[in-house]
Amino acid sequence: MKTKKNRLKLLKNNRLLLVMLMPAVLYVFIFNYLPMPGILLAFKKFSYNKGIFNSPWNGFENFRFFFISGDAVRVTFNTFAYNLVFLFLEIAVSVTIAILLNDLRMKRYNKTLQTMMFLPYFVSWVVVASIAYSLFNFENGTVNSVIEALGGDKINIYGTPGYWPFILTAFRLWKTVGYQTVIYLAAIASMDKEIIEAAKVDGANVLQMIFHITLPQLLPTIIILALLSIGNIFRGDFGLFYQLVGNNGLLFEKTDIIDTYVFRSLLQTTNVGMAAAAGLYQSVMCFVFVMVTNACVKKIQPDYALF
């Protein structure tokens, strides 16, 4: 009884915080928990007339349809490889820029640089796709105009798959690095300044302070953000890949990921079951990967694990 009263008192004392938390809870419940019965579609031959629950079961036929297409391994590898590259480069570039900005002597320019880097995060992928087309189209793109002006031959970038891993990675970094840099800057700002001052008194140079003070204290933040990203490592950035590449079949070899493949398949065949099976496959792969990674982190350094 005493415990129950304490809980009620705790809820009463924190009612304002609970009200502030409610929109986030509702958002997660509506968009993450309510749709969960849709998992059944992965094991059913969906009929619009019968609905989710009354459609006939077809076992693993939807998964079989996805894997016998011959593209499952390719799009899975592309999704994993791109996300792995994004993960490592975003961490490396964001941490480097955060450390450089933190050590920047001209503090009045610091905020301006942060704002300029953070703004691309709010730019729609549709707008980014327009920028990319203006740069790379064959007829009058900026890149080909410069090459032609220098006496070279135009490059058909939209017809050459080999260029696109670099293009997609560059645009992804341009759009997301600023956001992550702000997170790392906040982590650096919360560090104990007395340790840094003591290191300066002891004669430590800039590189020594970075490698022996800043980076070790940033490590928990880096690992947590990495683990959260790993949770979606088999889930591609649909906006990036679909908007920049679209339905250009010449580029699918290097740019097709699970999300775009399923989207096109759904448009062409209206096979809802196959789309649900691919989505469940992604979720299971992400779950397994994040559990294995978290277990490895927990074994090496338990304090840095998510759970």
Side-chain angles (χ1 to χ4, degrees), residues 5-34:
K5 286 183 178 179
N6 289 338
R7 288 177 180 173
L8 290 173
K9 186 178 180 181
L10 187 65
L11 290 174
K12 185 178 179 181
N13 292 338
N14 295 283
R15 59 185 180 276
L16 186 59
L17 294 175
L18 291 171
V19 171
M20 293 172 64
L21 182 65
M22 193 57 66
V25 173
L26 287 174
Y27 176 86
V28 172
F29 177 73
I30 293 170
F31 292 101
N32 292 81
Y33 285 92
L34 282 183

Side-chain angles (χ1 to χ4, degrees), residues 249-269:
L250 296 173
L251 306 179
F252 287 165
E253 178 190 351
K254 297 289 185 179
T255 63
D256 210 13
I257 58 173
I258 297 173
D259 306 73
T260 52
Y261 176 81
V262 171
F263 180 74
R264 286 197 319 276
S265 299
L266 190 59
L267 289 179
Q268 294 166 6
T269 66

Side-chain angles (χ1 to χ4, degrees), residues 2 7 13 59 67 76 117 143 149 151 165 173 201 210 232 235 280:
K2 188 176 180 181
R7 288 177 180 173
N13 292 338
F67 283 103
T76 300
M117 292 177 56
V143 172
L173 291 176
V201 171
I210 289 172
N232 288 313
R235 204 173 296 280
L280 181 58

